[in-house]
């Protein structure tokens, strides 16, 4: 019948186009998935998900009282070597019923610039973060750097906490509610009290600093003497290179 002939005729080119497209799809491999991190970098959670993360510059609880440019997610990114070394420290802590807690890891160069601009705006001391120095003097006093080893990807700011327990110590200076052991100050307390060897300290705080220092040294990290929480992998893979990709989630 004329009607059936016309329907059949209209179906054949459509079927032909379908099979041609199917053949092309089979012949063409799917595009490769691009790695969102530069070669040599990993999300710490992919290497050791047991390490607690409290990335301060991705939120409001930091010395700027706002999110820092370049921190699009509260996650820790490190070079592969630094992440593996940190995992070795975590294993040693786990045996003691403790855990590492990281506050900052890789820091984009744009974040360092953001901190510098903010510092140069000036202002009075902040009793929580820099109680004895003017905001405009933070760079000159060495508390905020024009450049940062964090941008090389093998530097980490961290402390130790009791595994499975959060929030016991509330330091007078530095990051609040970190849930860490007593280290005498909180993270990012810009004051001489934060120097690793500062004395006098309460015996417990001094012992905790000594424990963190010994554990990190054993894994190949060196400490920045003015900040008990700041460590850089001694044999870092990018000793002269700074990166500026944003901190994003996996």
């Amino acid at each position: 019948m004329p009607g059936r002939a016309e329907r059949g005729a209209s179906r054949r080119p459509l079927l032909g186009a379908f099979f041609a497209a199917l053949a092309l799809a089979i012949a063409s491999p799917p595009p490769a998935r691009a790695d969102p991190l530069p070669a040599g970098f990993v999300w710490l959670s992919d290497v050791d998900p047991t390490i607690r993360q409290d990335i301060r510059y991705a939120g409001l609880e930091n010395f700027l009282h706002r999110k820092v440019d370049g921190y699009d997610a509260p996650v820790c990114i490190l070079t592969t070597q630094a992440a593996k070394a940190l995992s070795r420290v975590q294993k040693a802590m786990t045996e003691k019923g403790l855990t590492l807690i990281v506050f900052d890891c890789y820091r984009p160069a744009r974040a360092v610039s953001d901190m510098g601009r903010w510092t140069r705006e000036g202002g009075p001391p902040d009793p929580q973060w820099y109680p004895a120095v003017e905001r405009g003097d933070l760079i000159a006093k060495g508390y905020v750097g024009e450049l940062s080893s964090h941008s090389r990807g093998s530097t980490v700011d961290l402390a130790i906490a009791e595994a499975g327990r959060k929030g016991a110590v509330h330091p007078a200076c530095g990051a609040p509610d970190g849930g860490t052991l007593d280290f005498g100050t909180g993270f990012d307390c810009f004051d001489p009290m934060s120097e690793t060897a500062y004395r006098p300290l309460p015996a417990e705080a001094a012992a905790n600093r000594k424990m963190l220092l010994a554990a990190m040294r054993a894994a190949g990290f060196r400490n920045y003497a003015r900040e008990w929480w700041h460590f850089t992998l001694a044999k870092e893979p990018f000793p002269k290179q700074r990166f500026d990709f944003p901190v994003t989630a996996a």
Side-chain angles (χ1 to χ4, degrees):
M1 295 181 182
R4 289 183 181 176
E6 291 170 359
R7 286 197 296 271
S10 63
R11 191 178 294 127
R12 280 192 292 273
L14 291 175
L15 289 173
F18 169 77
F19 285 117
L22 180 61
L24 181 62
I26 294 173
S28 302
R33 180 180 179 271
D35 189 342
L37 295 181
F41 283 81
V42 293
W43 285 282
L44 178 61
S45 60
D46 286 344
V47 174
D48 195 329
T50 69
I51 298 175
R52 192 180 300 172
Q53 299 189 27
D54 184 10
I55 307 302
R56 290 290 172 148
Y57 301 138
L60 305 179
E61 290 285 359
N62 58 66
F63 68 93
L64 285 80
H65 298 281
R66 63 168 173 80
K67 187 181 84 68
V68 180
D69 189 18
Y71 285 83
D72 297 338
V75 297
C76 173
I77 296 172
L78 288 169
T79 62
T80 303
Q81 293 93 326
K84 289 181 177 179
L86 203 60
S87 183
R88 293 196 294 272
V89 180
Q90 176 71 346
K91 287 179 174 62
M93 292 296 109
T94 301
E95 292 175 358
K96 301 178 181 180
L98 303 170
T99 181
L100 296 177
I101 176 169
V102 295
F103 300 116
D104 193 33
C105 301
Y106 158 73
R107 183 185 304 169
R110 72 191 73 178
V112 180
S113 297
D114 188 17
M115 292 177 180
R117 287 192 301 270
W118 174 88
T119 300
R120 287 186 288 270
E121 291 172 2
D126 184 324
Q128 180 180 343
W129 301 98
Y130 41 99
V133 61
E134 298 282 335
R135 174 170 158 184
D137 292 334
L138 288 173
I139 293 178
K141 296 290 186 180
Y143 293 118
V144 175
E146 296 279 12
L147 299 173
S148 174
S149 61
H150 282 275
S151 299
R152 303 196 299 262
S154 295
T155 293
V156 60
D157 294 333
L158 79 170
I160 301 170
E162 291 184 34
R165 183 177 178 183
K166 295 183 178 180
V169 177
H170 301 275
C173 178
D177 301 321
T180 71
L181 302 180
D182 184 5
F183 284 89
T185 75
F187 160 66
D188 264 2
C189 171
F190 298 146
D191 189 88
M193 292 187 300
S194 294
E195 295 174 6
T196 307
Y198 177 84
R199 297 295 184 272
L201 274 181
E204 182 179 355
N208 289 334
R209 290 189 186 189
K210 183 178 179 180
M211 175 171 59
L212 177 62
L213 183 64
M216 294 296 285
R217 281 179 173 172
F221 288 90
R222 63 178 185 272
N223 174 243
Y224 174 49
R226 298 194 65 183
E227 297 175 348
W228 60 259
W229 57 81
H230 181 115
F231 293 85
T232 300
L233 189 67
K235 295 181 180 179
E236 56 183 315
F238 304 110
K240 297 182 179 180
Q241 188 172 353
R242 288 178 170 81
F243 296 84
D244 193 34
F245 60 92
V247 176
T248 56

